[in-house]
Amino acid sequence: MPIPPPLNFQASALLALLLLLDGNMFSLPEPPSGPLEKIFQYIDLHQDEFVQTLREWVAVESDSIQPVPRLRQELLRMMTMAADRLQHLGASVQCVDLGSQELPGGQSLPIPPVILAELGTDPKKPTVCFYGHLDVQPAKREDGWHTDPYSLTEVDGKLYGRGATDNKGPVLAYIHAVSTFQALEQGLPVNLKFILEGMEEAGSVALEELIRREKERFFAGVNYIVISDNLWLSGRKPALTYGTRGNAYFLVEVKCRDQDFHSGTFGGILHEPMADLVALLGSLVNSSGHILIPGIYDSVAPLPEDEKATYEAIELDLEEYCSSSQVERFLFDTKEEILMHLWRYPSLSIHGIEGAFDEPGAKTVIPGRVVGKFSIRLVPHMNVSMVEKQVKQYLEDVFSKRKSSNRMTVSMVVGLPPWLANVNDPQYLAAKRAIRTVFGTDPDMIRDGSSIPIARTFQDILQKSVMMLPLGAVDDGEHSQNEKINRWNYIEGSKLFAAFFLEMAKLQSQ
Ligand code: MN
Ligand code: MN
């Protein structure tokens, strides 16, 4: 995707004007007036400082994945830096100790504390709780980074560094929005809470338990939860995310014996485990991507007309999407069908076979035991345990028709439900207005085809409205080499959060 040059507010207003003349998608943002005018000016003037803070945060190798004591110390240091920062804002900060993590091999590493912070307790104001994470995926220069992943490097308005977009940049943008109100001695329009963790990339170890424990205490006064940990659908048009798919991950084992066989000695007289497994995997989905498991589509939400219209409104250049993904042709030909099959219909993917002879060469082995791996992305209103039952039943039926003497075992190892928010919740309205003010356009209303379990966890446990308000562009490269956030996204994103606070307060007073 082409990335726009970094724009200041005036330039983005001009761009919006040009687009207004060109088409009718964008409308001219109202020039910010009142408190916003000063806030936007302040953020523009201080953007180099904001980039410098991001540089300091990116410099901490807060990798939560590799179980190395040195990295764990870095992670703890990162949490302390963030806690200090929040304390400087005047927040009351609590670092909740979560004990330690026992690793296979007897090693044990401390789990970084979760930061719970609170700023403002005015009963007349709404309370918005922000979730973010400060740990990152591993990154090494040798992996193909053009620059040192832990020293933030700016090239053409792009700030390259591990964690720049996932998730340190967005967390800092939120903090900058708060500190701007304070620097200008303007009262915060909302009460704020923060929950920041350091184990997100490692599966949010112990977080769910903590949220449960704090439900009646820390989260008691919270009205809204905001997460900014995903990306826009495009390079320049902002998005609001209101749903994610879940995931049910299965292992199917077919076993004759633990040892392999020689195909010259046994080939021709065996029920071969691999042949059974390939037939099982081949029975799951047809060549049009349709899942063949009976009943699997029964509880998929029907498609109302007004939902259809939301896909039409989303900007997506299909040709460009194909070529940037290096795919000749997708299963579907229209933008609407593509989006619906990524977001609101289930999909089944086959991931691999364990025990298969997967090195180059022509070894004549018959694997004695193989394990196939596949998963189903779940959508509203599919139910994890119902899906588990349907999958097991179907595979048993297919297997029994083969009259094989092997043993088959199916197990579901991950079961994450989908998440869907109500886009009419006040915070979605406030975010839309803030996006219009800052970017001069309505957001793409999007879902995420992947699973981001934290949203559903918050929704289930706390029963509060959850919103994902991303800042990063589609090509930010979370988890990959040369991860970046555009300076423009980072700075306009700080403005976006500030405008969002004001809109929330306006809604409350209406
Ligand atoms: Mn993340
Ligand atoms: Mn991540």
Side-chain angles (χ1 to χ4, degrees):
M1 295 256 174
I3 291 306
L7 300 175
N8 57 27
F9 179 76
Q10 284 82 357
S12 68
L14 180 66
L15 173 69
L17 176 63
L18 291 173
L19 288 161
L20 176 72
L21 298 172
D22 192 38
N24 52 13
M25 179 90 66
F26 287 71
S27 62
L28 187 66
E30 283 175 33
S33 55
L36 264 189
E37 191 183 347
K38 284 210 177 78
I39 286 168
F40 286 9
Q41 265 171 12
Y42 181 93
I43 292 174
D44 279 332
L45 274 172
H46 290 78
Q47 53 175 292
D48 287 340
E49 275 166 46
F50 294 174
V51 170
Q52 180 54 28
T53 320
L54 182 58
R55 185 167 290 122
E56 285 159 22
W57 280 28
V58 163
V60 186
E61 198 176 345
S62 52
D63 170 349
S64 61
I65 308 256
Q66 299 180 73
V68 179
R70 177 185 70 86
L71 294 175
R72 200 46 67 93
Q73 284 313 312
E74 284 292 275
L75 191 45
L76 296 177
R77 187 160 75 86
M78 185 67 245
M79 301 313 286
T80 309
M81 278 168 71
D84 286 350
R85 186 96 199 166
L86 292 171
Q87 229 141 23
H88 272 112
L89 292 179
S92 63
V93 179
Q94 191 196 351
C95 294
V96 184
D97 184 19
L98 294 172
S100 57
Q101 189 185 17
E102 306 304 322
L103 299 167
Q107 201 190 1
S108 130
L109 287 174
I111 299 175
V114 166
I115 297 174
L116 298 177
E118 192 174 348
L119 190 61
T121 52
D122 185 339
K124 291 190 292 296
K125 295 176 184 171
T127 300
V128 180
C129 178
F130 179 83
Y131 161 87
H133 68 88
L134 301 170
D135 57 321
V136 297
Q137 288 278 330
K140 283 199 301 281
R141 181 105 193 217
E142 311 81 278
D143 297 341
W145 281 74
H146 300 317
T147 56
D148 173 6
Y150 294 101
S151 70
L152 192 76
T153 308
E154 183 165 11
V155 182
D156 295 336
K158 295 168 197 167
L159 303 163
Y160 291 96
R162 176 55 92 222
T165 201
D166 182 16
N167 186 221
K168 291 175 179 178
V171 171
L172 274 173
Y174 199 86
I175 290 177
H176 297 322
V178 179
S179 67
T180 299
F181 278 92
Q182 296 187 329
L184 295 171
E185 294 182 354
Q186 292 186 18
L188 277 167
V190 291
N191 300 319
L192 294 169
K193 291 200 177 191
F194 292 85
I195 172 166
L196 303 178
E197 68 158 321
M199 288 299 275
E200 195 273 345
E201 303 293 1
S204 292
V205 177
L207 188 72
E208 189 175 328
E209 184 47 41
L210 173 98
I211 297 171
R212 244 177 249 288
R213 228 168 37 228
E214 293 289 338
K215 182 180 176 182
E216 302 301 335
R217 199 192 67 88
F218 180 76
F219 292 105
V222 170
N223 305 108
Y224 305 100
I225 289 159
V226 174
I227 302 169
S228 182
D229 192 20
N230 63 318
L231 300 175
W232 297 351
L233 197 62
S234 87
R236 64 185 170 90
K237 194 176 174 209
L240 261 178
T241 307
Y242 63 97
T244 59
R245 290 197 288 189
N247 195 15
Y249 200 109
F250 292 91
L251 304 183
V252 48
E253 182 195 69
V254 181
K255 180 174 168 176
C256 176
R257 64 176 198 189
D258 280 320
Q259 239 177 311
D260 293 342
F261 298 90
H262 185 304
S263 71
T265 319
F266 285 94
I269 58 167
L270 272 187
H271 293 120
E272 297 192 11
M274 185 69 95
D276 283 341
L277 181 63
V278 168
L280 288 165
L281 295 177
S283 74
L284 293 169
V285 61
N286 73 13
S287 59
S288 320
H290 190 82
I291 305 172
L292 301 171
I293 300 160
I296 203 91
Y297 289 97
D298 286 356
S299 33
V300 173
L303 176 66
E305 278 303 314
D306 57 336
E307 191 191 311
K308 248 187 195 163
T310 63
Y311 302 112
E312 288 160 18
I314 288 167
E315 255 186 273
L316 180 75
D317 182 337
L318 210 50
E319 232 169 89
E320 192 183 308
Y321 187 46
C322 264
S323 70
S324 69
S325 321
Q326 293 171 285
V327 172
E328 173 93 24
R329 185 163 58 89
F330 288 117
L331 286 171
F332 304 94
D333 298 322
T334 67
K335 170 184 80 178
E336 290 79 7
E337 278 179 303
I338 296 265
L339 292 175
M340 288 193 290
H341 281 89
L342 284 174
W343 297 346
R344 62 114 50 235
Y345 292 124
S347 62
L348 188 147
S349 303
I350 298 167
H351 305 298
I353 296 176
E354 216 173 281
F357 176 65
D358 61 358
E359 287 138 58
K363 199 171 165 190
T364 49
V365 69
I366 301 171
R369 170 188 172 270
V370 280
V371 181
K373 299 174 183 189
F374 67 93
S375 73
I376 303 174
R377 293 284 169 184
L378 307 178
V379 297
H381 309 288
M382 293 169 88
N383 169 284
V384 174
S385 54
M386 176 62 90
V387 167
E388 181 181 16
K389 226 196 270 161
Q390 289 165 335
V391 167
K392 286 183 172 168
Q393 184 61 55
Y394 178 63
L395 287 177
E396 270 153 30
D397 289 351
V398 173
F399 188 67
S400 73
K401 287 200 187 101
R402 289 182 64 81
K403 306 209 176 340
S404 167
S405 60
N406 296 320
R407 273 149 293 148
M408 182 196 70
T409 336
V410 184
S411 51
M412 186 178 77
V413 289
V414 173
L416 300 170
W419 165 70
L420 188 66
N422 178 359
V423 293
N424 297 315
D425 280 338
Q427 65 168 341
Y428 278 89
L429 202 59
K432 274 187 202 173
R433 287 182 184 170
I435 287 171
R436 240 174 268 143
T437 305
V438 175
F439 297 97
T441 175
D442 284 320
D444 280 334
M445 295 301 292
I446 66 173
R447 301 201 207 172
D448 203 308
S450 327
S451 313
I452 309 176
I454 187 69
R456 175 71 186 235
T457 305
F458 277 126
Q459 194 181 53
D460 281 355
I461 300 177
L462 305 176
Q463 314 274 315
K464 314 265 185 195
S465 165
V466 179
M467 177 175 72
M468 291 198 200
L469 178 51
L471 302 187
V474 66
D475 63 347
D476 276 2
E478 305 171 287
H479 294 206
S480 100
Q481 295 90 339
N482 303 310
E483 176 184 347
K484 58 92 178 160
I485 190 166
N486 301 326
R487 180 188 272 257
W488 181 69
N489 290 65
Y490 180 52
I491 299 304
E492 300 305 298
S494 304
K495 294 178 189 171
L496 175 58
F497 285 133
F500 170 68
F501 298 157
L502 285 163
E503 292 294 348
M504 286 300 289
K506 268 195 232 164
L507 276 175
Q508 178 90 351
S509 63
Q510 271 165 16

